Amino acid sequence: MKRLLQFVFSIILILVCALPSLASNVTVINDVIIDEAGRILLVKTDKSQYLPRPNVSKLLEPNRIVLDIPDSILEMKPKVINVNNNGVNQVRVSQYDSSNGKSVRIVVETQDEKLVNKINVSASPGSSMIQLQKLPDENIGDILGGQSIIKINKIDYRDNQLIVGGLSPIKIKEPFVLKGPTRLVIDIPNSQVTDDKMLMPIIVNDSSVDVVRVGQFDETTVRLVIETENPDRLYPIFGADQQTLYVTSNPTFNETNLPKGISLGYIKDIKVTEDKGLGTIIKIESSSPMVHRVRRIHNPEKLVVDLVNAEPPSEEVTKSINITNELLGIKVGQLMHGNPNSRIVLDLSSPGIEVKTNMSVDAKIMEIVLKQSSDYLALPNDGSLKVVIDPGHGGYDSGCKADGYKESDITLDISKRVKILLEKSGIKVYMTRVDDTTLSLKERTTFTNSVNPSAFISIHVNSSTSSAPEGIDTHWYTNQSIPLARKIQNSMMKKINAVDRGIKKNMFYVIHHTPVPAVLVETGFLSNAKERRDLLTHKRKQLSAQAIAEGVLQFLGTKYSISDEELQR
């Protein structure tokens, strides 16, 4: 009996000693995640292990891709991930034992027989990506698209930046600016705060920001309102964990500002491909998770991608970049020389290009989709063109004031002149008010929508708490309004010697609630003494009216041009 026990003990000892060598060829898989865009699987392994290339097969009824990872064991419970995005319905992960040994099986259930053209595996120790290269669906979501509620559990302001943290990936709508006081508004869709204590104002009073207000705007939208005199200087930046949003006035946001644990890297590849259904697809791949921001610039049309922790790629990468119907070219440089950061500028072919962005779950791949909007069409001049002119403010709402002069009087004067000029070209013109009447914003849009015009123009005069700002800008909200805004702004700059403040996207009520091309024109600053004197003259009012009218006519496609003789009237 004693000898038998010694023999059993010896066998156990041999097996224990042999286990490391036996297990060295087995890959331990700790978790499998898919990004919410339904394009990339992230497979987490032990730190020093690489993921073997999976064996790929395709099955029908239902349509599915089967990925068998050989010589692997699952160190987690089998899981089912419901996706319902980009043609992917569901992902199932389980242990699979066959005659060839143990393997982990990942089943991707899709909606289409054309499952995938190619499976790409980007292997690295600790975690690897399996890219589902071409799933057949034309609807690419917004940044980290998806309908699950994001729990916002952190809102803080320190080191001259607002920091917002979530328990899952954060996305935002395009920020917009409101006035009186000037404030930048950022909406986080599909989100809720975890504690109502976060809905308290944050008094800042630094050089960039006065106050930050946080609100649960509706059941599924957290709204950040940042009171600042310089909203254009604030940059939203997504952290590499994709669960952190920074709003900062630092244009470079270099490595000294990076969160702890964020690594520096370089851009490995930039690829441009065309798809008949999707449009132009730009894929940017980095060696490390990207801390990034994406900004749209108009007039001229550009998309600026800043990667604040990744160096520019080699010349070989940028040599082979294609141009397409939507993309005229790509320029790659740096935010600041001497720092490991990059700026990628995409030159877009028209204002009507829609931009959608996806990030992989490990933030190493950014996919940008460019597509020509179907509503970017100039209206035909068939003799039935109608325009609504909206003189800003009126009645007890006089708008801004200075030296006894009221915005509402100036806007009505200019609007009447625009009406006369447009009617001379055969355009039917409607005015929301023709005297010093009080009208609500809703009344203005209700009237406009009942007319169903070819274009809507709201005319205003600007103001600031400082006497320094001056110049003219034109605001739009929908893509179909961009050409109208550009025509009017360009025309104003040709006719009037003033500072060009450009065209800007803003969610002003009258252009947000009007489903036709609609703009709001700020004709100058009443708070600037020099510009105020100019705005009150007959010549400046007539030049403003002429410029607005010509911009409208150019947008509508007419050949009519207002002669200089009209200035004398």
Side-chain angles (χ1 to χ4, degrees):
M1 185 68 179
K2 186 176 180 181
R3 289 182 179 179
L4 179 61
L5 289 173
Q6 287 176 339
F7 175 75
V8 171
F9 179 77
S10 299
I11 294 297
I12 292 173
L13 185 62
I14 291 169
L15 288 174
V16 169
C17 294
L19 276 176
S21 61
L22 291 172
S24 61
N25 294 324
V26 175
T27 303
V28 178
I29 294 177
N30 298 313
D31 202 0
V32 177
I33 307 169
I34 187 167
D35 69 325
E36 293 185 44
R39 285 180 174 265
I40 296 173
L41 289 163
L42 182 69
V43 182
K44 296 185 176 181
T45 59
D46 278 0
K47 290 182 179 180
S48 60
Q49 291 187 315
Y50 284 82
L51 186 74
R53 182 168 184 82
N55 299 314
V56 182
S57 57
K58 303 176 184 180
L59 299 176
L60 302 177
E61 296 181 357
N63 304 312
R64 56 204 188 277
I65 309 162
V66 179
L67 307 166
D68 283 331
I69 303 172
D71 301 321
S72 60
I73 58 173
L74 195 63
E75 284 288 298
M76 54 173 273
K77 292 181 179 179
K79 68 188 296 186
V80 177
I81 311 169
N82 294 313
V83 183
N84 295 321
N85 200 355
N86 201 36
V88 175
N89 295 333
Q90 193 179 79
V91 176
R92 299 189 295 275
V93 184
S94 62
Q95 186 74 55
Y96 177 70
D97 297 332
S98 67
S99 57
N100 295 325
K102 289 184 175 293
S103 62
V104 171
R105 172 164 285 186
I106 303 173
V107 179
V108 182
E109 187 177 311
T110 74
Q111 301 170 1
D112 198 290
E113 292 182 11
K114 302 175 183 177
L115 299 174
V116 288
N117 292 339
K118 189 177 181 183
I119 296 291
N120 283 341
V121 179
S122 301
S124 60
S127 65
S128 298
M129 288 186 299
I130 301 176
Q131 185 178 5
L132 308 177
Q133 185 77 359
K134 172 88 170 161
L135 288 171
D137 183 78
E138 296 184 7
N139 298 316
I140 301 287
D142 292 331
I143 293 177
L144 299 169
Q147 298 304 313
S148 58
I149 295 297
I150 303 162
K151 295 296 184 180
I152 304 298
N153 67 336
K154 176 183 179 181
I155 298 176
D156 190 14
Y157 195 98
R158 66 173 187 269
D159 299 328
N160 294 318
Q161 61 192 21
L162 176 65
I163 304 170
V164 181
L167 299 178
S168 54
I170 293 176
K171 65 176 183 177
I172 63 173
K173 292 184 177 180
E174 186 165 347
F176 59 94
V177 176
L178 295 176
K179 295 184 178 179
T182 304
R183 54 211 188 275
L184 179 69
V185 181
I186 300 175
D187 283 339
I188 306 174
N190 303 322
S191 66
Q192 295 173 345
V193 295
T194 57
D195 190 338
D196 288 345
K197 292 180 181 178
M198 285 187 278
L199 304 180
M200 298 288 289
I202 303 172
I203 309 300
V204 180
N205 290 324
D206 68 13
S207 58
S208 302
V209 173
D210 296 325
V211 180
V212 176
R213 304 183 191 280
V214 183
Q216 190 69 54
F217 182 69
D218 56 36
E219 290 185 358
T220 58
T221 305
V222 172
R223 170 165 285 186
L224 309 172
V225 180
I226 305 170
E227 291 188 15
T228 172
E229 281 296 312
N230 301 295
D232 294 339
R233 295 183 183 177
L234 294 178
Y235 303 90
I237 295 177
F238 291 95
D241 60 0
Q242 301 186 68
Q243 296 176 196
T244 308
L245 171 71
Y246 303 88
V247 183
T248 175
S249 59
N250 185 342
T252 57
F253 197 73
N254 60 35
E255 69 269 24
T256 60
N257 304 102
L258 292 176
K260 292 181 180 178
I262 297 302
S263 59
L264 305 177
Y266 63 95
I267 299 174
K268 295 170 63 176
D269 200 6
I270 301 176
K271 287 183 179 177
V272 177
T273 57
E274 288 186 275
D275 185 287
K276 289 183 179 179
L278 294 175
T280 297
I281 302 171
I282 300 102
K283 188 176 80 172
I284 303 169
E285 184 174 357
S286 174
S287 65
S288 61
M290 303 180 204
V291 179
H292 68 280
R293 63 171 173 254
V294 180
R295 293 182 295 133
R296 179 74 180 267
I297 295 176
H298 300 281
N299 194 23
E301 303 302 316
K302 297 180 185 294
L303 188 75
V304 180
V305 179
D306 290 336
L307 306 179
V308 299
N309 65 328
E311 293 180 342
S314 65
E315 290 185 10
E316 291 299 318
V317 170
T318 56
K319 278 182 181 177
S320 58
I321 293 175
N322 302 322
I323 62 171
T324 68
N325 290 334
E326 294 82 14
L327 180 68
L328 299 181
I330 296 180
K331 301 181 185 70
V332 180
Q334 283 191 283
L335 283 165
M336 182 178 290
H337 291 292
N339 289 308
N341 50 44
S342 301
R343 169 162 286 177
I344 302 169
V345 180
L346 311 183
D347 291 321
L348 309 184
S349 60
S350 81
I353 299 296
E354 293 180 344
V355 178
K356 296 182 179 180
T357 309
N358 291 313
M359 291 293 297
S360 65
V361 284
D362 65 352
K364 290 183 179 180
I365 292 181
M366 177 186 293
E367 183 183 71
I368 301 170
V369 181
L370 308 178
K371 188 173 183 180
Q372 180 68 56
S373 172
S374 58
D375 62 8
Y376 179 65
L377 296 172
L379 298 169
N381 186 18
D382 58 3
S384 60
L385 298 177
K386 299 178 289 185
V387 171
V388 170
I389 303 296
D390 173 44
H393 304 280
Y396 63 77
D397 174 21
S398 60
C400 60
K401 299 177 183 178
D403 278 355
Y405 297 102
K406 299 186 297 183
E407 177 183 0
S408 56
D409 292 339
I410 299 172
T411 60
L412 182 60
D413 190 333
I414 295 173
S415 297
K416 287 180 177 179
R417 296 168 189 253
V418 174
K419 181 176 185 292
I420 292 171
L421 294 170
L422 287 177
E423 286 179 338
K424 287 180 177 293
S425 69
I427 305 296
K428 179 66 176 175
V429 179
Y430 297 82
M431 300 262 289
T432 57
R433 67 180 180 95
V434 293
D435 53 24
D436 195 23
T437 302
T438 302
L439 283 176
S440 69
L441 299 177
K442 186 175 181 180
E443 286 173 322
R444 295 170 196 265
T445 56
T446 299
F447 170 77
T448 301
N449 296 338
S450 70
V451 172
N452 189 27
S454 307
F456 168 89
I457 299 91
S458 186
I459 297 175
H460 286 253
V461 179
N462 217 332
S463 183
S464 173
T465 54
S466 167
S467 60
E470 59 179 307
I472 298 168
D473 46 13
T474 305
H475 300 259
W476 57 275
Y477 182 71
T478 61
N479 281 341
Q480 64 179 344
S481 304
I482 298 173
L484 176 59
R486 290 185 68 176
K487 296 291 186 185
I488 290 177
Q489 184 69 17
N490 290 343
S491 182
M492 294 284 274
M493 289 302 98
K494 288 178 181 178
K495 299 291 182 185
I496 301 170
N497 182 22
V499 173
D500 184 358
R501 295 170 61 87
I503 67 171
K504 302 175 182 179
K505 182 175 183 179
N506 272 312
M507 197 186 289
F508 292 127
Y509 188 96
V510 290
I511 58 177
H512 176 227
H513 288 76
T514 308
V516 299
V519 299
L520 186 149
V521 185
E522 296 279 11
T523 56
F525 277 80
L526 201 63
S527 52
N528 181 286
K530 178 178 176 296
E531 195 157 53
R532 178 171 65 250
R533 289 192 295 270
D534 198 24
L535 280 166
L536 296 171
T537 65
H538 163 78
K539 182 178 180 180
R540 175 66 178 262
K541 291 174 184 175
Q542 190 65 15
L543 280 171
S544 299
Q546 181 190 15
I548 293 170
E550 283 196 348
V552 172
L553 294 172
Q554 290 168 16
F555 169 76
L556 296 177
T558 70
K559 295 181 179 179
Y560 182 85
S561 179
I562 301 167
S563 69
D564 290 336
E565 294 177 3
E566 297 290 348
L567 295 178
Q568 308 305 319
R569 294 180 177 272

